[in-house]
Amino acid sequence: MCSSDLKEYGRGEDPNASRALVHGVINHGWQYIDPKIRREPISYFGPTSGIARALSFYENKPRRVGIIGLGVGAFVGWGRAGDYYRIYELDPDVVRIAREQFGYLAESPAKIDVVTGDGRLNMERDPRQNFDLISVDAFSSGSIPIHLLTREALQAYKRHLAPGGVIVYNVTNRFVNLPPQLKLVAEAEGMKIIRLDDSPEDDKYSGTSYVLVTQNEQLLADERVADQEEIEPIPGLEAWTDRHNNLFKVVR
């Protein structure tokens, strides 16, 4: 990510001064600079985001979380003592920046391991991890790694799920409509899917759209995910596989 920039917003006495990682027009997350509040998970991981609500379903025990796509590490701000986060990040520069310029990784009370390289390939190599939640968050408006969205990819994720676990895809995107495709993939693998959109009023959080893929009926019926959005089908769309996929079908 040699073209990435660090940007700071707010100066001097501003208590909300923050630092962001920006690549082109894509903001990969931001963090408060003030040490008293910098551990707070902001940007795409506010308390009403779909992924934060999914994580809270497992709050009564130490949680095991797998993450594909590090960003600045904001999601580990939800980590607690006893939790385990295993992060798969393709770009070593992103890992370096997250460690040197942001504090989420260093200051989380959770145990954190970072695995550098392609997330799906490394998950396929890993022994079973028994994750309660797997976050697939390596997409941006201009770059859609299709190999993370196919039936074979979901099969790889499923192998690492603990009983009752959930896979959460960040499908926030202005240019492609991923939920209908993921619905076909989930159903082909015998799983259910729901979509949760969030439009927070507080500007420290970003508007998001997440889909949850699981076989856990209790999670699907939980009040935390009650405000589900409909996933409209796309005529002629077929479930993607490693051999058969068509990005043009989901362009908005």
Side-chain angles (χ1 to χ4, degrees), residues 44 77 101 111 128 143 171 189 194 204 223 229 238:
Y44 307 103
Q101 302 295 333
K111 181 180 181 343
R128 184 176 176 184
S143 176
V171 295
E189 292 300 317
I194 59 173
K204 66 182 177 182
E223 63 180 7
E229 302 290 337
E238 298 178 7

Side-chain angles (χ1 to χ4, degrees), residues 33-156:
I33 294 173
D34 186 339
K36 293 190 292 292
I37 57 175
R38 63 191 248 130
R39 274 184 50 193
E40 180 183 347
I42 54 176
S43 61
Y44 307 103
F45 305 102
T48 57
S49 65
I51 192 166
R53 284 186 273 167
L55 182 65
S56 72
F57 179 79
Y58 306 94
E59 63 189 357
N60 293 325
K61 65 172 186 174
R63 300 168 294 194
R64 292 183 62 86
V65 178
I67 300 173
I68 297 180
L70 170 61
V72 302
F75 188 41
V76 305
W78 289 109
R80 308 172 309 191
D83 289 352
Y84 174 67
Y85 284 70
R86 188 170 181 83
I87 302 171
Y88 302 87
E89 171 54 48
L90 176 66
D91 193 335
D93 284 340
V94 171
V95 178
R96 176 183 56 79
I97 291 169
R99 283 177 167 157
E100 294 178 358
Q101 302 295 333
F102 297 88
Y104 286 117
L105 294 180
E107 297 171 15
S108 174
K111 181 180 181 343
I112 298 172
D113 286 329
V114 179
V115 181
T116 304
D118 183 90
R120 175 178 161 186
L121 292 179
N122 278 316
M123 288 189 83
E124 289 174 343
R125 297 184 187 113
D126 266 354
R128 184 176 176 184
Q129 294 295 313
N130 290 305
F131 292 128
D132 297 299
L133 182 149
I134 296 174
S135 166
V136 185
D137 192 2
F139 317 129
S140 66
S141 296
S143 176
I144 305 298
I146 290 176
H147 75 294
L148 299 179
L149 298 166
T150 62
R151 287 188 63 180
E152 292 87 348
L154 181 54
Q155 291 164 9

Side-chain angles (χ1 to χ4, degrees), residues 7 21 26 44 47-48 63 79 101 122 145 173 184 205 212 233:
K7 294 187 177 181
L21 176 62
I26 306 300
Y44 307 103
T48 57
R63 300 168 294 194
Q101 302 295 333
N122 278 316
N173 200 291
L184 293 175
Y205 306 123
L212 281 56

Side-chain angles (χ1 to χ4, degrees), residues 22 24 39 74 126 131 159 184 189 206 215 231 251:
V22 180
R39 274 184 50 193
D126 266 354
F131 292 128
R159 182 175 71 87
L184 293 175
E189 292 300 317
S206 180
Q215 293 170 312
I231 299 176
V251 173

